[in-house]
Amino acid sequence: MTPISDTPSTMNKTGLWRVIFPKVDEEKCRRCAICWKFCPDAAIQLVDGVPHIILDFCKGCGICANECPAKCIAMVEEGER
Amino acid sequence: MSKTTIPEEEYAYPGSTGCPGCGANLVMRYLLKGLGERTVISIPACCWAVMPGYWPSHCLKVPLVYCAFEATGASISGIRAALDMRGERDVTVVGFAGDGGTVDIGLQALSGAAERQTDAVYVMYDNEAYMNTGIQRSGATPWGAWTTTTPVDESRGFKQEPKKNVMAIMEAHGIPYAATVSVGHPEDFVKKVRKARDVRGLRFIHALSPCPPGWRMNPMKTIEVARLAVDTRIFPLYEIDEGVLAITRRGKGKPVSEYLSLQGRFGHLTPENTAEIQKVIDARFEALEARAARKNLSPSFTQLA
Amino acid sequence: MRTVMTGNYASAYGAKAARAEVIAAYPITPQTSIVEKLAEFVSSGELNAKFIPVESEHSAMAACISASVTGARTYTATSSHGLTLMHEVLMWASGARSPIVMTNVSRAMAPPWSVWADHMDSVAQRDTGWMQFFCESNQEVLDTVLMAYKVAESRDVMLPAMIIEDAFILSHTSEPVDVPEQSQVDTFLPRYDPEMRLEIGRPMGFGSLVKPDLYMEFRYKAMKAMESSRERILKVEEEFRKTFGRSYGGLLDEYRCEDAEVVVVVAGSAAGTAREAVDAMNERGVPVGLARLRTFRPFPEDELRNLAKKVRGIAVIDRSYTFGAAGAFYTELCGSLFPLRERPVVKNYIAGLGGRDITPKIIEKIIEDIIDVSERGEDVEPEWVEVKGLDRSWQ
Ligand SMILES: Cc1ncc(C[n+]2csc(CCOP(=O)(O)OP(=O)(O)O)c2C)c(N)n1
Ligand code: SF4
Ligand SMILES: [Mg+2]
């Protein structure tokens, strides 16, 4: 057989690539889901409308922080969360 | 739970091996949100051939077949024929290729698929260069851009030739539906994909897909840049539906310098260069608006001849 | 139904009898009448299939691959420049383990332009992972299309197969051909039903990226599959013989080899001529046999080794030339014989390029020559048979 891939890519822990990390200020969050909408890796889960970053997969691109209209996501060094 | 403006259902798993901030990941994500589960995809050589991960990793919730770099148009014709023989007419067949795989090496097969009216959706995610092989120029690289094969040195600054107008090429085939989309405007994106899904024949989607390493920009700027492309009108959002062109978002008409200045690949451009680009953009947008206002049928779009 | 038809129609009738479901092809001389006939069958409804009028041979093969991965039985046909244009995707087809069947009307490569018989195009595809069947008659063409599907689609093989008919000599020459009963074909060759296919509800990626730690394993499995095809070809041919009463000699079709002291090895239509020459010489008391390479891939190594143990000279006729080496049939045969402690004398004869006739007289001369050199036991250079000078000194 030709190589047939059948395992969800969640087997790749791309979170290991991350050097900066999105820290969410849940108080300030307006629950607009804009961060979720623009995450290239579908690595944001909305819990009651508030973003929860899936650590295993977030590559730390920072799009969520850049796009958040409430400015409630800050990119911090990996160690600082 | 807040209400999302695009479908919540995900058809892509996390764990794709695209670069941080990759626009092409979003193109796929929005595309599948629009098309849904009854979709099969063919992908040629390009970044997306690598992004699902090493065997046995697969990052989509739909089936996918890989094909040779220049073969996407042929591959979708083959899949369509086989599905039709099985009576699976409702399945959407998708060809998903990069700009190089579309406007350069794959143009012949795509032209063939369009001419023989293969019932499929062809998506070109446009990161404006051969990114998978390390940022070489393609026919879709815009005038003025740096790439590794259009190096910036004293004698010859950057890419000297304009970007191929792929929408015009596809329109000339008289296809039923063609649209430009941008990852900065997911609602418009999904809407157009849905529209494309529900017509027959070859439908073409031209998706602007910012590439942080290739465009020499901060990955967090992907959406900002994609939005600026529309707002500066260097990448207008429009559709050609049954031969009639409509602009779906006029953009704010911001100066193109705002778009260019975010990207290192344009860092060498002089104010004169930028002014030249602005002139071209203004003229092109004016022509686009004039055509949209006329609402006339594209001369290529005829039922028979 | 017994009728008279060309090799090209035999291919088309073969694909029709096999109930090919997706046909994608691009015209090239001398293959055109195959696709024209199939287009006719599809448009008249005689064959329930999709005909994809592709814009190139590369696309023909690419379309067949994706259709095959989606679960359809696929067919295409081409020749020379079309086949070599496909080179990349031929490799893709075998790597994708797509049991596509294709007729190649074997023709010379340009320049110089030539539309006539020559095996260069086919031989150049020997490393693509396709089974290659060289045919001697139009009946064999039709029958081999059916057998090839059955071999290609068997679970232990799952590799594509190429049916090779010589340009014009078979493609455009009419011979009596028996078109088998459809019901019998349907029993012999049931519907293609692959274990895995592109399928809604089964989200998988076909042909994905593999790291160096596993690439070899996938190639190894393909190698094993090609090896299994040897047995499978014999089994399928036996089944075919039981159903239809015809067979073609497996991988190496041996004729009058039992008591032969020298043999001629040849592939394709020239084997028919060689049979006549071998008969004529045996009449005259010359103990010569014919070994027809029916498959070039898989290469009949064991069969040739066994034959070589019994003879003292082998004349290998190549209708192509591998520049910088020799004829490919010859070099491969020599490679197969290498493990033998004692080997017969083997000489390479390059003949019939670009459609030049390989006449009974040429073959008789070759046989006389191999008898001569094998008696003297000399080492021999490849001989370009009856090659002339050109009357332009600057050519
Ligand atoms: C026939 C052939 N030529 C060249 C390549 C090498 N190659 C692989 S991907 C690629 C660039 C793809 O560019 P594009 O289509 O724009 O997609 P991107 O990588 O930018 O996403 C090239 C040149 C190939 N795979 N096949
Ligand atoms: S090189 Fe560009 S297009 Fe390719 S994966 Fe990285 S960001 Fe995406
Ligand atoms: Mg590209």
Side-chain angles (χ1 to χ4, degrees):
Chain A
M1 275 294 147
T2 197
I4 301 173
S5 290
D6 62 353
T7 309
S9 56
T10 43
M11 66 184 275
N12 311 318
K13 303 297 181 235
T14 48
L16 293 170
W17 303 2
R18 197 172 53 232
V19 286
I20 47 173
F21 174 78
K23 197 168 167 182
V24 183
D25 183 340
E26 295 191 10
E27 299 286 283
K28 273 184 22 196
C29 172
R30 295 185 202 157
R31 295 164 161 70
C32 65
I34 284 176
C35 55
W36 167 85
K37 185 168 70 176
F38 288 124
C39 177
D41 292 286
I44 296 179
Q45 234 169 359
L46 296 175
V47 180
D48 295 330
V50 176
H52 280 228
I53 313 293
I54 312 175
L55 295 177
D56 274 351
F57 307 112
C58 167
K59 296 169 184 165
C61 68
I63 289 178
C64 52
N66 199 59
E67 296 311 312
C68 172
K71 296 284 162 239
C72 75
I73 305 179
M75 297 307 291
V76 298
E77 295 289 318
E78 255 304 294
E80 290 172 34
R81 54 181 162 91
Chain B
M1 184 76 210
S2 59
K3 217 170 130 17
T4 56
T5 52
I6 54 171
E8 265 185 73
E9 188 70 32
E10 295 292 351
Y11 298 93
Y13 292 105
S16 112
T17 57
C19 305
C22 174
N25 250 337
L26 283 166
V27 173
M28 183 64 90
R29 189 169 166 237
Y30 300 150
L31 174 75
L32 291 179
K33 280 177 186 288
L35 294 180
E37 190 188 25
R38 295 191 68 76
T39 301
V40 298
I41 304 192
S42 175
I43 297 184
C46 60
C47 278
W48 248 104
V50 181
M51 283 154 68
Y54 288 111
W55 182 87
S57 163
H58 182 49
C59 71
L60 303 177
K61 297 180 186 173
V62 299
L64 155 65
V65 62
Y66 299 89
C67 70
F69 192 18
E70 62 283 54
T72 317
S75 174
I76 55 179
S77 294
I79 298 170
R80 180 78 271 161
L83 287 175
D84 286 355
M85 282 305 289
R86 303 189 79 93
E88 298 180 40
R89 290 209 54 94
D90 67 316
V91 173
T92 306
V93 177
V94 174
F96 192 92
D99 48 294
T102 301
V103 305
D104 294 339
I105 198 167
L107 188 58
Q108 174 183 316
L110 170 59
S111 172
E115 185 274 335
R116 54 184 177 258
Q117 302 184 353
T118 290
D119 186 24
V121 176
Y122 189 107
V123 180
M124 156 173 156
Y125 71 95
D126 187 3
N127 51 25
E128 303 194 319
Y130 299 139
M131 294 310 180
N132 186 241
T133 38
I135 327 172
Q136 294 83 24
R137 88 191 272 291
S138 80
T141 303
W143 184 92
W146 161 92
T147 67
T148 56
T149 49
T150 51
V152 176
D153 59 27
E154 276 137 49
S155 60
R156 201 182 126 94
F158 36 71
K159 195 194 181 211
Q160 302 290 321
E161 305 81 17
K163 183 181 174 78
K164 269 192 213 181
N165 187 345
V166 69
M167 285 290 282
I169 294 172
M170 294 317 294
E171 184 189 353
H173 286 78
I175 58 174
Y177 186 76
T180 62
V181 296
S182 154
V183 294
H185 296 86
E187 296 79 8
D188 174 82
F189 192 132
V190 171
K191 202 168 140 196
K192 285 172 176 164
V193 165
R194 287 257 158 96
K195 208 162 173 180
R197 183 189 62 186
D198 298 334
V199 287
R200 302 276 69 85
L202 190 100
R203 299 86 86 188
F204 184 78
I205 304 279
H206 178 188
L208 186 70
S209 180
C211 164
W215 292 11
R216 292 286 184 256
M217 63 177 202
N218 188 323
M220 66 162 52
K221 298 287 182 190
T222 288
I223 299 301
E224 194 177 330
V225 158
R227 228 182 353 244
L228 276 169
V230 175
D231 275 339
T232 61
R233 295 169 176 163
I234 195 167
F235 191 86
L237 292 182
Y238 63 101
E239 63 184 9
I240 306 169
D241 186 359
E242 308 253 303
V244 178
L245 186 145
I247 296 172
T248 56
R249 215 178 165 95
R250 289 193 71 255
K252 298 195 175 84
K254 290 183 177 176
V256 73
S257 54
E258 287 189 28
Y259 172 75
L260 302 176
S261 64
L262 281 179
Q263 305 170 52
R265 64 173 172 156
F266 296 117
H268 52 275
L269 295 183
T270 62
E272 293 74 45
N273 294 151
T274 304
E276 276 178 69
I277 296 175
Q278 187 67 59
K279 237 165 66 191
V280 174
I281 291 174
D282 292 346
R284 242 195 292 146
F285 194 73
E286 201 179 306
L288 204 65
E289 280 202 308
R291 181 170 160 199
R294 283 199 305 275
K295 291 194 168 67
N296 62 337
L297 198 65
S298 155
S300 319
F301 190 82
T302 48
Q303 295 296 337
L304 276 175
Chain C
M1 175 186 79
R2 196 161 171 80
T3 172
V4 171
M5 66 170 77
T6 62
N8 276 357
Y9 276 19
S11 270
Y13 274 94
K16 172 171 172 275
R19 296 190 191 274
E21 295 168 291
V22 174
I23 298 160
Y26 190 81
I28 183 168
T29 301
Q31 153 266 33
T32 40
S33 53
I34 303 179
V35 276
E36 288 165 358
K37 194 73 196 163
L38 283 167
E40 229 175 274
F41 285 149
V42 174
S43 108
S44 70
E46 277 178 86
L47 174 62
N48 179 24
K50 297 285 167 193
F51 184 89
I52 311 177
V54 282
E55 80 302 326
S56 79
E57 288 87 353
H58 192 284
S59 283
M61 185 47 59
C64 282
I65 294 166
S66 290
S68 178
V69 174
T70 313
R73 181 171 287 161
T74 57
Y75 177 82
T76 185
T78 188
S79 175
S80 60
H81 291 258
L83 185 70
T84 48
L85 179 64
M86 283 181 188
H87 188 66
E88 178 202 26
V89 260
L90 292 181
M91 296 212 183
W92 199 289
S94 64
R97 307 295 297 277
S98 298
I100 300 160
V101 171
M102 165 169 69
T103 298
N104 182 56
V105 184
S106 221
R107 162 189 152 181
M109 292 300 300
W113 274 117
S114 162
V115 295
W116 297 281
D118 188 299
H119 290 159
M120 191 69 235
D121 55 351
S122 305
V123 163
Q125 310 311 322
R126 63 181 144 169
D127 296 334
T128 55
W130 282 62
M131 292 179 278
Q132 294 186 304
F133 295 87
F134 280 86
C135 295
E136 182 183 337
S137 69
N138 296 352
Q139 182 73 61
E140 188 183 3
V141 168
L142 191 155
D143 292 351
T144 308
V145 170
L146 301 177
M147 286 187 264
Y149 273 116
K150 199 167 169 82
V151 174
E153 291 171 3
S154 64
R155 295 270 157 95
D156 56 339
V157 178
M158 290 297 282
L159 287 171
M162 194 185 296
I163 316 294
I164 296 151
E165 35 164 288
D166 288 344
F168 294 102
I169 304 171
L170 291 193
S171 70
H172 286 65
T173 306
S174 293
E175 291 177 353
V177 171
D178 192 66
V179 180
E181 280 299 320
Q182 190 62 52
S183 59
Q184 275 185 306
V185 177
D186 291 345
T187 314
F188 172 76
L189 183 67
R191 198 170 170 213
Y192 177 46
D193 180 25
E195 206 174 349
M196 307 289 269
R197 67 174 185 91
L198 206 63
E199 198 173 1
I200 294 295
R202 289 176 93 185
M204 299 178 183
F206 285 72
S208 54
L209 184 69
V210 164
K211 277 190 243 181
D213 68 339
L214 283 176
Y215 183 87
M216 272 184 81
E217 282 62 27
F218 282 101
R219 302 312 272 187
Y220 184 77
K221 291 190 84 165
M223 179 277 285
K224 284 288 192 197
M226 183 62 93
E227 288 308 308
S228 313
S229 75
R230 297 174 189 279
E231 270 298 311
R232 185 57 60 187
I233 289 167
L234 299 179
K235 277 192 188 139
V236 166
E237 195 178 0
E238 180 53 21
E239 199 183 320
F240 189 88
R241 190 190 61 74
K242 281 190 190 140
T243 315
F244 301 102
R246 291 183 294 272
S247 66
Y248 298 95
L251 282 66
L252 187 71
D253 175 18
E254 294 179 32
Y255 180 66
R256 301 189 82 152
C257 286
E258 307 79 35
D259 305 312
E261 287 174 21
V262 295
V263 288
V264 182
V265 172
V266 67
S269 59
T273 319
R275 258 175 235 277
E276 286 172 36
V278 161
D279 282 342
M281 305 236 357
N282 273 289
E283 296 282 292
R284 280 181 255 146
V286 183
V288 55
L290 161 72
R292 176 173 73 100
L293 284 176
R294 183 155 173 266
T295 61
F296 181 44
R297 287 290 180 271
F299 194 69
E301 291 158 10
D302 289 341
E303 290 83 350
L304 285 165
R305 269 199 285 270
N306 289 334
L307 179 63
K309 285 178 196 157
K310 300 190 295 197
V311 299
R312 66 163 206 269
I314 300 180
V316 184
I317 303 178
D318 269 284
R319 204 165 200 151
S320 70
Y321 192 73
T322 300
F323 297 97
F329 295 164
Y330 167 78
T331 51
E332 299 235 347
L333 180 137
C334 290
S336 301
L337 303 197
F338 184 76
L340 295 183
R341 216 175 262 267
E342 279 180 53
R343 292 185 289 269
V345 171
V346 186
K347 183 173 169 182
N348 195 190
Y349 300 84
I350 309 301
L353 304 196
R356 178 113 30 124
D357 273 349
I358 301 180
T359 59
K361 218 165 131 208
I362 286 179
I363 293 180
E364 287 191 18
K365 267 170 79 177
I366 288 173
I367 293 169
E368 279 159 13
D369 188 63
I370 191 67
I371 289 170
D372 184 41
V373 288
S374 65
E375 266 166 10
R376 287 186 280 120
E378 278 176 15
D379 254 358
V380 279
E381 286 296 305
E383 177 180 329
W384 284 61
V385 177
E386 294 190 348
V387 73
K388 305 185 286 280
L390 295 169
D391 61 6
R392 301 281 187 287
S393 63
W394 41 265
Q395 279 291 1

